[in-house]
């Protein structure tokens, strides 16, 4: 009997059980590889590298609740060093993995020390998931205090240094062609895997039967990245011509962004039409996506978004609900206006207003046809099983 290859996926997220985009993406990697390999998902949030349970065939996770919630930077760095050393020692003495895959963290010391111990010191086969260029996510200092200036300069330094480590990895998995083109100057061994979905459970569901037109956003509540302020102002304009609607949004919040959005909502007297639902569990998010009339992703045209690709779009595409999105990054490589989505002509409130007017004027048959075509796009480009064979070759052969 041929021994299966063993892959360890390392992250500082709650792998398998979390509901973030990164967790879901790593879950699909594991599922794509599990027919021919054994995949172990290990988080530094767990205190013990042991007691694995098989959650699906050939997919193993640590059987332990999350235990580490450090916030102190020095403590984080110390624990990241300990975690990297423990992984390296455990693998060398007991496990003998064939390959490692590191999912990047905003805490760059997490990936740096894993890189140091696993790749530089122990010469393992280590791959790196590249889904964002971090240096483009840094906001310039607006309030000039010594602390903020030092923090900004530190972030600039670390996010400009990290790409030089990419050249030493055995390969990079990139989320789109834009980021792959950027990364090629550091490492030529690149495999592009776009946003992923599970098409095994796809069906075209019946959207809300209510006369009320329901709009839904799920994801990171970030004005800077997701352009939610402009979209809500677009709804203010929309309310002047069509009143029978509601907008619900959910997800983790960036800084004070929710306070800013609530202020806009209150000032425009839309409290009864716009609601924040909190950070819902993933299964409830999926249900909400299927039951509404329109999903929105109003991302701004920033460098950060140009080099990214919202994993939420793959989830939207298989929901059976039409979606309104912007022409950010590689979106138009997959989606066409009024064919399999609604594409806003721009990123401002007036663009969103015009799109909403157009969408509400279409009949239900046309909107469902567009949603059905989006499912076809997901089956062709985003279904995780489409990448099983090539991902297996990239990581092991």
């Amino acid at each position: 009997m041929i021994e299966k290859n063993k892959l360890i996926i390392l992250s500082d997220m709650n792998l398998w059980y979390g509901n973030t985009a990164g967790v879901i993406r790593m879950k699909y990697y594991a599922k794509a590889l599990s027919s021919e390999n054994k995949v172990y998902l290990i988080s530094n949030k767990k205190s013990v590298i042991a007691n694995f349970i098989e959650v699906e065939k050939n997919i193993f996770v640590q059987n332990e609740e999350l235990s580490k919630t450090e916030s102190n930077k020095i403590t984080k760095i110390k624990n990241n060093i300990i975690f990297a050393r423990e992984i390296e020692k455990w693998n060398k003495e007991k496990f003998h993995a064939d390959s490692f895959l590191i999912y990047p963290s905003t805490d760059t010391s997490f990936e740096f020390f894993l890189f140091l111990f696993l790749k530089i010191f122990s010469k393992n086969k280590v791959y790196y998931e590249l889904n964002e260029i971090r240096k483009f996510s840094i906001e310039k200092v607006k309030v000039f205090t010594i602390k903020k200036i030092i923090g900004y300069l530190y972030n600039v330094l670390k996010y400009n240094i990290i790409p030089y480590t990419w050249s030493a990895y055995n390969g990079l998995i990139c989320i789109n062609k834009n980021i792959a083109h950027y990364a090629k100057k550091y490492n030529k061994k690149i495999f592009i895997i776009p946003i992923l979905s599970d098409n095994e459970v796809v069906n075209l569901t019946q959207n809300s039967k209510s006369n009320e037109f329901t709009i839904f956003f799920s994801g990171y509540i970030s004005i800077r990245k997701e352009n939610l302020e402009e979209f809500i102002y677009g709804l203010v304009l929309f309310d002047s011509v069509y009143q029978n609607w509601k907008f619900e949004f959910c997800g983790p919040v960036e800084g004070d962004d929710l306070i800013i959005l609530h202020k806009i909502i209150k000032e425009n007297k839309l409290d009864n039409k716009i609601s924040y639902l909190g950070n819902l569990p993933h299964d409830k998010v999926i249900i909400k996506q299927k039951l509404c009339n329109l999903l929105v992703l109003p991302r701004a045209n920033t460098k950060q978004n140009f080099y990214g690709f919202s994993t939420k779009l793959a989830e939207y595409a298989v929901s059976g609900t039409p979606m309104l999105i912007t022409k950010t990054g590689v979106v138009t490589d997959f989606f066409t206006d009024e064919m399999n989505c609604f594409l806003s002509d721009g990123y401002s409130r007036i663009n969103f207003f015009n799109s909403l007017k157009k969408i509400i004027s279409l009949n239900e048959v046309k909107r469902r046809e567009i949603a059905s075509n989006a499912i076809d796009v997901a089956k062709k480009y985003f279904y995780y099983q489409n990448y099983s064979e090539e991902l297996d070759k990239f990581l092991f052969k």
Side-chain angles (χ1 to χ4, degrees), residues 53-156:
I53 59 168
E54 193 171 9
V55 286
E56 286 189 14
K57 186 178 179 181
N58 291 330
I59 301 176
F60 302 86
V61 301
Q62 295 151 284
N63 184 23
E64 183 192 47
E65 294 295 324
L66 291 176
S67 57
K68 297 179 183 177
T69 56
E70 329 84 10
S71 57
N72 181 280
K73 287 184 179 180
I74 301 300
T75 304
K76 279 186 178 182
I77 292 171
K78 182 190 77 173
N79 287 336
N80 285 334
I81 294 171
I82 293 169
F83 176 72
R85 178 68 186 98
E86 285 179 348
I87 285 286
E88 188 247 2
K89 184 179 178 182
W90 169 74
N91 184 65
K92 184 183 291 184
E93 295 177 356
K94 297 180 180 179
F95 193 71
H96 312 297
D98 297 279
S99 296
F100 291 84
L101 174 61
I102 297 175
Y103 188 87
S105 169
T106 52
D107 176 12
T108 51
S109 70
F110 169 78
E111 59 195 68
F112 176 76
F113 289 113
L114 285 173
F115 165 79
L116 200 63
F117 279 92
L118 295 176
K119 185 61 192 169
I120 302 302
F121 294 168
S122 297
K123 309 298 181 186
N124 290 291
K125 284 179 69 177
V126 185
Y127 297 83
Y128 186 75
E129 157 85 5
L130 190 54
N131 52 54
E132 188 175 29
I133 307 298
R134 296 283 183 190
K135 72 177 185 179
F136 296 131
S137 67
I138 307 169
E139 282 194 281
K140 292 183 178 179
V141 179
K142 294 176 182 177
V143 181
F144 291 92
T145 64
I146 296 297
K147 184 178 180 181
K148 284 186 177 293
I149 291 170
I150 291 172
Y152 174 72
L153 293 175
Y154 169 71
N155 285 332
V156 169

Side-chain angles (χ1 to χ4, degrees), residues 259-272:
I259 296 171
I260 295 168
L261 295 177
H262 275 153
K263 183 180 178 183
I264 297 167
I265 293 164
K266 189 171 183 179
E267 286 175 350
N268 290 278
K269 299 178 181 176
L270 292 176
D271 310 62
N272 61 331

Side-chain angles (χ1 to χ4, degrees), residues 121-350:
F121 294 168
S122 297
K123 309 298 181 186
N124 290 291
K125 284 179 69 177
V126 185
Y127 297 83
Y128 186 75
E129 157 85 5
L130 190 54
N131 52 54
E132 188 175 29
I133 307 298
R134 296 283 183 190
K135 72 177 185 179
F136 296 131
S137 67
I138 307 169
E139 282 194 281
K140 292 183 178 179
V141 179
K142 294 176 182 177
V143 181
F144 291 92
T145 64
I146 296 297
K147 184 178 180 181
K148 284 186 177 293
I149 291 170
I150 291 172
Y152 174 72
L153 293 175
Y154 169 71
N155 285 332
V156 169
L157 179 65
K158 71 178 181 180
Y159 289 143
N160 277 279
I161 288 174
I162 282 292
Y164 289 98
T165 65
W166 298 347
S167 60
Y169 285 104
N170 292 85
L172 308 175
I173 300 176
C174 296
I175 202 167
N176 67 36
K177 67 180 185 183
N178 294 346
I179 204 168
H181 179 75
Y182 182 93
K184 275 183 181 177
K185 60 186 175 183
Y186 300 99
N187 193 325
K188 296 276 193 288
K189 297 174 185 175
I190 286 174
F191 183 35
I192 298 175
I193 300 181
I195 51 179
L196 297 174
S197 63
D198 185 354
N199 295 72
E200 293 173 348
V201 293
V202 167
N203 54 21
L204 200 60
T205 56
Q206 180 64 49
N207 303 120
S208 173
K209 294 180 181 179
S210 166
N211 290 327
E212 190 174 52
F213 190 75
T214 55
I215 306 165
F216 184 62
F217 168 90
S218 58
Y220 195 38
I221 310 303
S222 168
I223 292 171
R224 171 181 55 86
K225 188 174 184 179
E226 305 296 352
N227 201 25
L228 288 168
E229 184 175 11
E230 280 300 301
F231 181 72
I232 287 179
Y233 275 121
L235 288 172
V236 173
L237 297 173
F238 183 57
D239 192 59
S240 66
V241 297
Y242 187 85
Q243 288 78 47
N244 197 18
W245 61 272
K246 71 176 178 180
F247 173 54
E248 295 178 325
F249 60 110
C250 70
V253 180
E254 180 176 84
D256 295 328
D257 285 14
L258 189 60
I259 296 171
I260 295 168
L261 295 177
H262 275 153
K263 183 180 178 183
I264 297 167
I265 293 164
K266 189 171 183 179
E267 286 175 350
N268 290 278
K269 299 178 181 176
L270 292 176
D271 310 62
N272 61 331
K273 293 185 177 181
I274 301 179
S275 307
Y276 173 62
L277 305 179
N279 190 14
L280 297 178
H282 188 245
D283 57 342
K284 290 187 177 180
V285 171
I286 297 299
I287 292 170
K288 294 292 291 184
Q289 289 172 355
K290 290 177 178 293
L291 293 179
C292 67
N293 298 109
L294 181 70
L295 297 168
V296 294
L297 189 69
R299 280 196 163 185
N301 190 28
T302 62
K303 277 193 174 181
Q304 181 186 15
N305 290 335
F306 175 80
Y307 287 109
F309 196 7
S310 175
T311 54
K312 190 60 58 182
L313 269 182
E315 202 170 81
Y316 278 12
V318 298
S319 67
T321 302
M323 54 190 180
L324 169 61
I325 57 182
T326 54
K327 302 174 184 179
T328 306
V330 296
V331 165
T332 53
D333 290 352
F334 303 94
F335 295 104
T336 304
D337 187 34
E338 294 194 56
M339 176 65 72
N340 43 44
C341 74
F342 297 104
L343 274 173
S344 172
D345 285 334
Y347 309 87
S348 71
R349 60 195 73 182
I350 191 67

